[in-house]
Amino acid sequence: MPRAEKGVLDLSSWNFPDDGSVSLEGEWVFWWKEIRDPDDPFFSDPAVYVNVPDVWTNYEIDGQALSAEGYATYSLILIPPDELQTYGLYIEGEGSAFALWLNDRLLIRKGRVASDSHSRLRDKGPLTLYFESNGEPLRFLVQMSNDQHRKGGFRNSFLLGLVEPIHHYQLVNWFIEAFSLGVLFIMGLYHLIIYHFRRTGKAPLYFALLCFLAALRHGVTDQCILPTLFPLITWSGAIRMEYFVFYISPAVFVLFFKNLFPDDINKWFARVVIGISLVFSTLVFIFNTMILSHTVTFYQVVWNIEIPYYIYFIIRIARKKRAGSSYFALATLIFFSTVVIETLVINKISDPIRINYLYPLEMITSFGFLAYIFVQAIYLASRYSSAFARAESLAVKLRETNRDLEYSEKKYRTIFEESKDMIFITGVLSRVQDFNPVCTEILGYTREELLSLFMKDILAESDDFYRLKNKIMEQGYIKNLETILLSKSGRPVNVLVNVVQRKGEDGQLRSFQWVAKDITAMKQAEAERLRAQEFEQMSITDPLTKIHNRRFFNEAIKKEEARTRRIFKPLSVIIFDIDNFKTVNDTFGHFIGDQVLQKLAALCRDTMRDSDLFARFGGEEFIILTPETDSHTAMDIAERLRAVVNETIMARCNEGDILISISLGVASWNPAESPDISAVLDRADRALYDAKNTGRNKAVLWEDLGNKGMVIKGRRINFIETESAL
């Protein structure tokens, strides 16, 4: 990058289309305590050259350092390329009032520049100017005054380039700032909504405040988006907003940390940080901007003193393996690193980080906070998902603590007042002497009304009181006993009661302590769960025979098909129905017919193997699925079942004992041979029809339909086979 020397910047050989834009940095002519006009001579004695950009307090004239408050004039001769060209000049914005002249033409004025009255600066937002050059030397004259900030002077350099690159540079800067501002605002709003719906923990609230504070700082610095959108925000107001965010953020940070890890951060450290933060934040509304700008240096020291403790804190939670400590450590280290870097850059201790020579990242804290938000959002999401489990664990620990530890009166009163369980202190005669606030919330009584009651008045059943009292006197305590309390309105409250005796120093019984945990919601949830299980079981069970129904079988056979393909072993299906079952219903009635079906289902269930699946397929038709079973084994099962049914009395009536027979169809399926398991159902069904058409009371294997001599069967006279038999 070319730099100005002795007030002259020679760009005659600079190729703007190829080489890009140029920052007007280097040695400018400088007149302190003078406001030069454009027609004044360029060089005058004594000629002083200063480095631009920089602040006045870093300059010395005659060995004396300049003060922050004052006025001066800068001048630079620029020799452009020898051609007619339109240029763009990007001015990032200065923190002091200034007027910029090009030759004898005023380009821009920000605030009022004068030796007797300074500033009146309303805004310092970036802007872009355009002008033409015919190749003649150009003289830039900057008149500047400051009485509002400790960093007076030409703080930010001008960027000169062709129109399109300068316009693109402005858009890129605006987009980055607007995107960052939008992300911060949306994340803050999101976590504020989370807190609105779930206020048990304040971490989302503090995190939302951090997001809003970072968005506010982002909006009033760099591109000054908020003052642009809201012109009522003056330069002074924007500075105060920036400082307020800088001062109050540590307090919100420490509250956020303490809410996430209450046992790991020192309470005195938190109090000191919050106190200092509030003191400095109050200064924003008291002092003018010049004094405020000096307080920033002191607060930067405070920030950097706090950082070592936070590093210790991160190491502490990492060693204790707190949930999410790795996320928290990464996010916090990124953010604090950007704070340190920005502090060093602002105080000119270090050069800014640059994406390239056009994009120095001086104010990088906001970008560090964006990274912080991203990592913390992941952590908070994981934290919310496990919140319920942690709540249960804390509840258990609290109950154990209440039971096992003896507290001092102060500690006991704290637990007593804040407990979510109902706690009653009763006398020896069980009259209520004291109770915690949640008792009135749940039961609806006033304090005066509860103090006039006995425990037997609160219990739903008076017998429960005497039963509880006897048990206390026998064993000295009651643990996790379920009973019911009645609210003032008569509403029952299911509770889990723990009762202990309270004795004085002399060992004599003084009172009883009753701890009643409201489990009404839990009982309702358990009832709903059991009801849902009952409905689910009913949906897959045949109501008459109490075995699986066809719906369940259809779902189960799909899973079994997949398993059979995986293990590559055969399975078989047995379909059977009752021979001439209609005659039973017509002769003895449907009540006897239902008894026959129920007896048959129970008999088959007892005869089958544990691995077989048995279901009612419809009417008097049943089906058996036998996993990992070939056709011959399935035929053995079918024949054994047929024989058992043949020999068993299914029902009794006035006409005598009822015997039945069944016909069975058997088919086997091998995934290597058949493409679809639906084929085996069709084959078994065809085998069943063959059994019925060839005499009934037999088992037919689908593979044997082509050879009738191989049919395995057993024949006997069926009780319901002919009407003469009936």
Side-chain angles (χ1 to χ4, degrees):
M1 286 288 292
R3 292 178 59 84
E5 296 181 2
K6 303 295 184 182
V8 178
L9 179 59
D10 187 358
L11 299 179
S12 58
S13 60
W14 186 262
N15 189 332
F16 279 94
D18 296 334
D19 298 336
S21 303
V22 175
S23 293
L24 305 186
E25 299 180 357
E27 296 179 338
W28 287 50
V29 181
F30 180 71
W31 293 276
W32 176 243
K33 295 290 185 178
E34 294 185 45
I35 300 179
R36 292 292 185 108
D37 293 324
D39 54 356
D40 288 346
F42 176 62
F43 293 104
S44 64
D45 293 330
V48 177
Y49 301 98
V50 295
N51 186 59
V52 171
D54 206 346
V55 294
W56 291 337
T57 52
N58 290 335
Y59 301 153
E60 290 186 359
I61 296 180
D62 297 331
Q64 297 292 323
L66 305 186
S67 63
E69 187 174 357
Y71 53 93
T73 304
Y74 297 83
S75 181
L76 174 71
I77 298 294
L78 187 145
I79 303 175
D82 189 14
E83 58 181 337
L84 181 63
Q85 184 63 266
T86 301
Y87 294 99
L89 186 67
Y90 178 80
I91 303 175
E92 185 175 339
E94 305 296 337
S96 304
F98 74 95
L100 172 63
W101 299 77
L102 178 60
N103 295 334
D104 58 351
R105 181 163 61 96
L106 178 65
L107 290 183
I108 185 68
R109 184 187 300 276
K110 288 278 190 176
R112 182 173 182 272
V113 181
S115 59
D116 58 339
S117 179
H118 305 158
S119 299
R120 297 184 185 175
L121 183 64
R122 282 198 55 82
D123 67 89
K124 74 175 191 71
L127 52 92
T128 303
L129 307 173
Y130 301 97
F131 61 89
E132 287 189 350
S133 170
N134 58 5
E136 295 294 327
L138 303 172
R139 182 185 183 187
F140 289 96
L141 189 74
V142 180
Q143 302 166 340
M144 188 171 291
S145 64
N146 173 66
D147 66 344
Q148 292 184 307
H149 200 277
R150 67 185 176 90
K151 291 185 177 181
F154 205 151
R155 295 165 54 184
N156 300 308
S157 61
F158 297 162
L159 183 66
L160 179 69
L162 300 182
V163 173
E164 184 175 348
I166 290 296
H167 181 65
H168 178 264
Y169 178 81
Q170 182 185 26
L171 288 179
V172 168
N173 279 277
W174 178 267
F175 172 78
I176 292 174
E177 294 293 330
F179 175 79
S180 303
L181 179 63
V183 169
L184 290 166
F185 179 78
I186 292 173
M187 290 298 293
L189 185 61
Y190 171 74
H191 285 87
L192 191 62
I193 293 172
I194 289 178
Y195 174 72
H196 173 73
F197 288 107
R198 189 175 184 273
R199 301 191 179 188
T200 54
K202 293 186 178 180
L205 173 63
Y206 296 135
F207 192 70
L209 290 177
L210 289 175
C211 291
F212 289 139
L213 290 173
L216 182 61
R217 184 175 188 267
H218 227 65
V220 297
T221 58
D222 296 337
Q223 297 299 306
C224 297
I225 295 177
L226 291 181
T228 303
L229 296 176
F230 306 100
L232 291 178
I233 301 177
T234 64
W235 178 86
S236 174
I239 284 290
R240 292 179 187 277
M241 290 180 186
E242 180 184 355
Y243 289 170
F244 179 78
V245 170
F246 184 58
Y247 295 150
I248 202 65
S249 293
V252 183
F253 259 109
V254 78
L255 288 171
F256 177 61
F257 296 161
K258 189 169 181 59
N259 191 268
L260 289 177
F261 305 99
D263 299 329
D264 297 299
I265 195 164
N266 186 275
K267 64 179 181 180
W268 285 107
F269 172 80
R271 290 174 181 175
V272 170
V273 170
I274 294 172
I276 295 175
S277 179
L278 292 177
V279 169
F280 274 82
S281 299
T282 305
L283 300 181
V284 173
F285 305 99
I286 298 176
F287 297 118
N288 59 39
T289 55
M290 174 62 78
I291 297 176
L292 284 177
S293 65
H294 287 283
T295 63
V296 173
T297 303
F298 298 102
Y299 204 70
Q300 287 172 346
V301 175
V302 174
W303 253 107
N304 289 282
I305 290 175
E306 293 172 5
I307 288 177
Y309 178 82
Y310 286 119
I311 294 175
Y312 159 76
F313 166 71
I314 292 170
I315 295 174
R316 177 186 175 92
I317 62 175
R319 285 182 175 177
K320 291 187 174 183
K321 298 181 179 180
R322 301 296 193 199
S325 59
S326 57
Y327 294 107
F328 195 85
L330 175 62
T332 306
L333 288 177
I334 291 174
F335 176 63
F336 284 157
S337 298
T338 60
V339 171
V340 173
I341 293 172
E342 182 176 310
T343 302
L344 296 177
V345 170
I346 290 176
N347 291 281
K348 303 298 181 181
I349 300 174
S350 172
D351 292 330
I353 298 173
R354 294 176 180 266
I355 299 175
N356 55 42
Y357 73 91
L358 293 181
Y359 295 95
L361 297 179
E362 296 183 358
M363 309 292 283
I364 66 171
T365 299
S366 296
F367 297 103
F369 192 73
L370 281 175
Y372 177 86
I373 284 178
F374 178 74
V375 179
Q376 284 291 8
I378 297 175
Y379 164 62
L380 289 176
S382 64
R383 184 182 177 91
Y384 298 152
S385 66
S386 58
F388 183 74
R390 288 199 302 272
E392 286 186 335
S393 176
L394 290 174
V396 171
K397 289 174 63 177
L398 181 60
R399 287 195 298 270
E400 293 175 349
T401 303
N402 288 340
R403 184 180 64 248
D404 298 333
L405 299 180
E406 295 181 0
Y407 295 99
S408 65
E409 182 60 29
K410 181 178 180 180
K411 291 183 179 180
Y412 173 78
R413 175 53 58 180
T414 301
I415 296 175
F416 183 80
E417 294 292 340
E418 297 180 357
S419 175
K420 301 302 180 183
D421 297 334
M422 291 180 285
I423 302 177
F424 297 92
I425 305 300
T426 65
V428 177
L429 298 178
S430 296
R431 180 167 183 166
V432 177
Q433 296 177 344
D434 197 5
F435 53 88
N436 61 345
V438 76
C439 296
T440 59
E441 296 175 12
I442 295 178
L443 298 179
Y445 290 103
T446 64
R447 179 172 181 82
E448 291 73 19
E449 289 172 336
L450 272 179
L451 291 175
S452 66
L453 298 178
F454 292 84
M455 283 305 297
K456 65 179 180 180
D457 301 324
I458 302 174
L459 288 166
E461 297 290 340
S462 58
D463 291 343
D464 284 352
F465 170 74
Y466 296 105
R467 178 168 57 92
L468 292 172
K469 187 173 182 180
N470 292 335
K471 193 169 184 179
I472 296 172
M473 300 310 295
E474 288 176 5
Q475 61 185 32
Y477 65 91
I478 293 177
K479 181 178 180 182
N480 294 336
L481 184 65
E482 189 173 332
T483 187
I484 300 176
L485 303 182
L486 284 180
S487 67
K488 182 179 179 180
S489 63
R491 177 180 61 88
V493 180
N494 292 281
V495 293
L496 205 61
V497 174
N498 290 271
V499 186
V500 295
Q501 297 178 351
R502 302 180 69 185
K503 297 181 178 181
E505 295 181 359
D506 57 359
Q508 296 297 315
L509 178 63
R510 301 294 186 186
S511 59
F512 297 101
Q513 176 176 298
W514 303 65
V515 179
K517 180 177 180 61
D518 185 358
I519 59 171
T520 303
M522 184 178 71
K523 296 283 287 185
Q524 292 173 347
E526 179 65 17
E528 290 295 331
R529 185 184 66 82
L530 294 176
R531 196 155 41 241
Q533 286 182 348
E534 181 180 352
F535 287 150
E536 181 181 2
Q537 187 63 30
M538 289 172 60
S539 69
I540 62 173
T541 303
D542 177 53
L544 177 62
T545 60
K546 306 305 179 185
I547 63 175
H548 294 305
N549 58 17
R550 184 168 185 168
R551 173 186 175 188
F552 178 83
F553 182 84
N554 289 338
E555 293 296 326
I557 199 170
K558 294 176 184 177
K559 298 178 182 178
E560 192 58 38
E561 177 185 9
R563 193 180 78 88
T564 300
R565 291 184 185 278
R566 187 170 64 253
I567 65 176
F568 214 72
K569 291 184 179 182
L571 65 79
S572 298
V573 172
I574 303 171
I575 299 179
F576 68 91
D577 70 0
I578 303 172
D579 297 331
N580 298 316
F581 182 66
K582 184 175 183 301
T583 308
V584 175
N585 283 330
D586 293 344
T587 304
F588 303 105
H590 287 281
F591 180 74
I592 295 298
D594 290 346
Q595 289 185 9
V596 171
L597 291 174
Q598 291 171 341
K599 179 65 175 181
L600 176 61
L603 184 64
C604 293
R605 189 167 52 237
D606 295 338
T607 305
M608 289 165 40
R609 302 175 303 180
D610 292 338
S611 59
D612 297 337
L613 174 63
F614 180 41
R616 186 180 180 185
F617 219 48
E620 69 271 21
E621 191 174 43
F622 297 84
I623 190 166
I624 302 173
L625 176 66
T626 58
E628 301 182 34
T629 305
D630 57 23
S631 59
H632 298 293
T633 305
M635 277 297 293
D636 291 340
I637 295 172
E639 177 57 25
R640 184 170 67 250
L641 181 59
R642 185 201 62 78
V644 171
V645 172
N646 225 27
E647 298 168 357
T648 303
I649 297 173
M650 294 297 169
R652 299 180 187 274
C653 61
N654 295 332
E655 289 80 359
D657 297 339
I658 298 178
L659 298 172
I660 64 170
S661 65
I662 59 174
S663 297
L664 306 95
V666 182
S668 183
W669 181 67
N670 190 325
E673 299 173 359
S674 301
D676 196 316
I677 198 169
S678 60
V680 75
L681 297 175
D682 180 63
R683 294 169 183 173
D685 192 54
R686 288 164 59 190
L688 170 62
Y689 274 95
D690 185 76
K692 296 180 73 68
N693 293 333
T694 57
R696 298 189 179 89
N697 193 21
K698 65 170 66 175
V700 174
L701 177 63
W702 180 82
E703 296 173 0
D704 299 331
L705 288 180
N707 184 355
K708 299 295 184 179
M710 295 180 62
V711 174
I712 302 174
K713 62 182 181 177
R715 289 287 291 156
R716 74 177 181 84
I717 300 298
N718 189 346
F719 180 76
I720 63 170
E721 203 165 49
T722 65
E723 295 205 7
S724 60
L726 297 174

